Amino acid sequence: MNGMRKKLAVGAAAGLLAVVMAMPAYGAKRTAITSITLTIKADIEPNTDFGSENIEIETNSSRFSVDGYEVMNTGFEWTSDTVPEIRITLTAEDDYYFKALPKDKIKLKGGAEFVKGTRQDSSATLLMDVKLPSLQNTLQDLETVQLSEDGVATWTTLANAGEYEVKVYRDGNAVGTVMKTQSGSINCRERMVKGNASYTVKIRPVNKYETDTKGDWMESNSVYISAEKAAQFRDNPSGGTGKWEQAADGRWWYSSEDGSYPVNTWLLINGKWYFFDQEGYMKTGWVQWEGKEYYCSENGDMLTNCLTPDNYLVGTDGAKIAQQEDVTKETELEVDPDEEMQKEWERLSGKDDE
């Protein structure tokens, strides 16, 4: 019996050894992954379906690989205020495993935020939940910018752009300061008044929620402007053959020779400034623009250096200064009435002779 039990014991030990040898080299033979660094580049366009996004996740580590991601947001579509949430799958290489890591050991480049990690498969797999920057704070690249021979630059507007910065170049050199517009077109004729030269424009979007967030500059095609064409721009920078059009409801808009029309911007026409709303119609009355207020008459032209019909004073640039009543009160209070009465009492009582 003793020999039999010994034989069984030997057999059991041999079986156990075989099982151990067949198992992966886990435990003490594996090396822990003590930090994680990922670079995440996301190109997500609002009003598109999940799956249409382009998210690149890269690592320089030789200890693990990136095996894809899964969108964790509810719904089916990216919207302009979405905060993208994704789950990234990381797989440890042979002889390595993931250990529980504090947040300071996880570095995500590209503005992503680590939420949590879940280990699976004996810590050989790590599911990492992260949040990407809100789509409110991101900007896509502009599509092709076109500069016409008539000096008008056009482009496709972006959902999260509040305005666009525009630079004009003549033979590769910048002309004037940066111009700004909130529409998808801008008249550059006033910067293109020197002939026998080639002109281009560069445009970049500015985020409407975070104005410090700006896109990359996009350059237009090159346009050659002759001396004759430049003279036309000097004589009529608003665009020679544009014309006023009236809609059926009585509102007015301005049609340029290329068929475009100003939207949510000012336009100089025959020496007078006019403002056009988001639908392209001429506005009258008060217009708020870049923190200031301007008044457009019933004919649409901006008033300058005068009193508006509701008694406000506007300066030479057209911006509101103050209401006429306020100006009068300030003038009247320059002399203190109590002080004047005191002087008169002293005169009558003879104290001013002392």
Side-chain angles (χ1 to χ4, degrees):
M1 289 291 293
N2 290 338
M4 194 172 192
R5 281 197 292 269
K6 187 176 181 179
K7 185 175 182 181
L8 288 173
V10 171
L16 178 60
L17 179 62
V19 171
V20 172
M21 293 180 64
M23 291 176 64
Y26 288 167
K29 292 186 178 181
R30 292 194 298 164
T31 302
I33 297 173
T34 57
S35 64
I36 295 174
T37 300
L38 299 176
T39 300
I40 304 175
K41 299 178 181 178
D43 183 8
I44 305 175
E45 189 171 346
N47 303 318
T48 59
D49 295 335
F50 291 167
S52 62
E53 72 281 350
N54 180 24
I55 301 177
E56 298 179 1
I57 307 169
E58 300 176 349
T59 180
N60 292 326
S61 177
S62 60
R63 300 185 174 192
F64 63 90
S65 60
V66 179
D67 291 338
Y69 70 88
E70 176 185 359
V71 175
M72 303 303 292
N73 295 84
T74 59
F76 305 95
E77 185 182 72
W78 302 109
T79 60
S80 60
D81 59 350
T82 300
V83 177
E85 300 178 19
I86 61 175
R87 176 170 292 169
I88 304 170
T89 300
L90 305 180
T91 302
E93 299 296 335
D94 293 342
D95 300 329
Y96 291 95
Y97 73 96
F98 295 102
K99 64 177 292 186
L101 297 175
K103 283 191 175 183
D104 61 353
K105 294 296 182 180
I106 298 175
K107 186 175 183 180
L108 303 179
K109 299 179 181 179
E113 176 189 352
F114 173 73
V115 178
K116 69 176 182 178
T118 303
R119 292 175 292 169
Q120 295 182 345
D121 305 326
S122 299
S123 298
T125 300
L126 177 64
L127 303 180
M128 182 183 292
D129 291 359
V130 303
K131 288 183 179 180
L132 304 182
S134 170
L135 296 190
Q136 283 188 345
N137 303 328
T138 60
L139 284 171
Q140 288 71 46
D141 292 333
L142 285 176
E143 296 184 8
T144 303
V145 177
Q146 292 288 338
L147 178 62
S148 72
E149 293 182 354
D150 296 310
V152 177
T154 57
W155 59 94
T156 302
T157 58
L158 302 178
N160 287 350
E163 66 179 9
Y164 303 86
E165 297 181 343
V166 182
K167 292 181 180 179
V168 178
Y169 292 83
R170 181 179 62 246
D171 293 333
N173 299 313
V175 181
T177 58
V178 174
M179 298 188 294
K180 297 181 180 181
T181 180
Q182 294 180 329
S183 67
S185 66
I186 191 169
N187 177 2
C188 303
R189 297 182 185 96
E190 62 181 19
R191 304 290 177 92
M192 302 170 66
V193 293
K194 288 190 177 181
N196 300 324
S198 294
Y199 289 85
T200 58
V201 297
K202 289 183 180 180
I203 300 173
R204 70 176 177 182
V206 179
N207 189 281
K208 64 182 176 181
Y209 304 103
E210 295 287 342
T211 55
D212 290 336
T213 300
K214 301 180 180 182
D216 295 330
W217 291 102
M218 175 68 71
E219 188 170 9
S220 73
N221 55 299
S222 177
V223 172
Y224 181 79
I225 300 298
S226 65
E228 180 182 2
K229 193 75 170 180
Q232 294 177 9
F233 290 170
R234 287 195 299 271
D235 294 339
N236 192 354
S238 64
T241 60
K243 61 179 180 178
W244 287 100
E245 304 275 1
Q246 190 172 26
D249 59 5
R251 291 183 293 175
W252 290 91
W253 56 285
Y254 192 80
S255 174
S256 301
E257 56 188 341
D258 62 356
S260 64
Y261 55 90
V263 175
N264 199 29
T265 190
W266 292 94
L267 184 63
L268 183 65
I269 303 174
N270 296 327
K272 296 181 179 181
W273 285 102
Y274 297 83
F275 187 82
F276 297 87
D277 63 19
Q278 293 182 346
E279 296 180 274
Y281 291 110
M282 180 193 78
K283 285 203 66 174
T284 60
W286 286 105
V287 173
Q288 293 189 350
W289 181 258
E290 296 184 349
K292 296 182 180 181
E293 291 183 86
Y294 303 84
Y295 192 90
C296 294
S297 74
E298 59 181 8
N299 295 322
D301 58 307
M302 182 185 72
L303 300 185
T304 60
N305 200 26
C306 67
L307 281 176
T308 63
D310 51 356
N311 273 344
Y312 282 90
L313 183 65
V314 292
T316 55
D317 63 348
K320 182 172 73 173
I321 299 175
Q323 194 168 16
Q324 178 63 13
E325 294 179 0
D326 296 335
V327 175
T328 304
K329 288 178 182 178
E330 291 174 5
T331 303
E332 292 174 348
L333 290 176
E334 288 179 358
V335 178
D336 188 343
D338 292 335
E339 183 179 347
E340 288 299 301
M341 291 179 66
Q342 178 66 23
K343 288 181 179 179
E344 181 64 11
W345 179 83
E346 291 179 352
R347 186 184 66 81
L348 294 175
S349 62
K351 287 192 175 184
D352 60 347
D353 296 330
E354 296 178 0

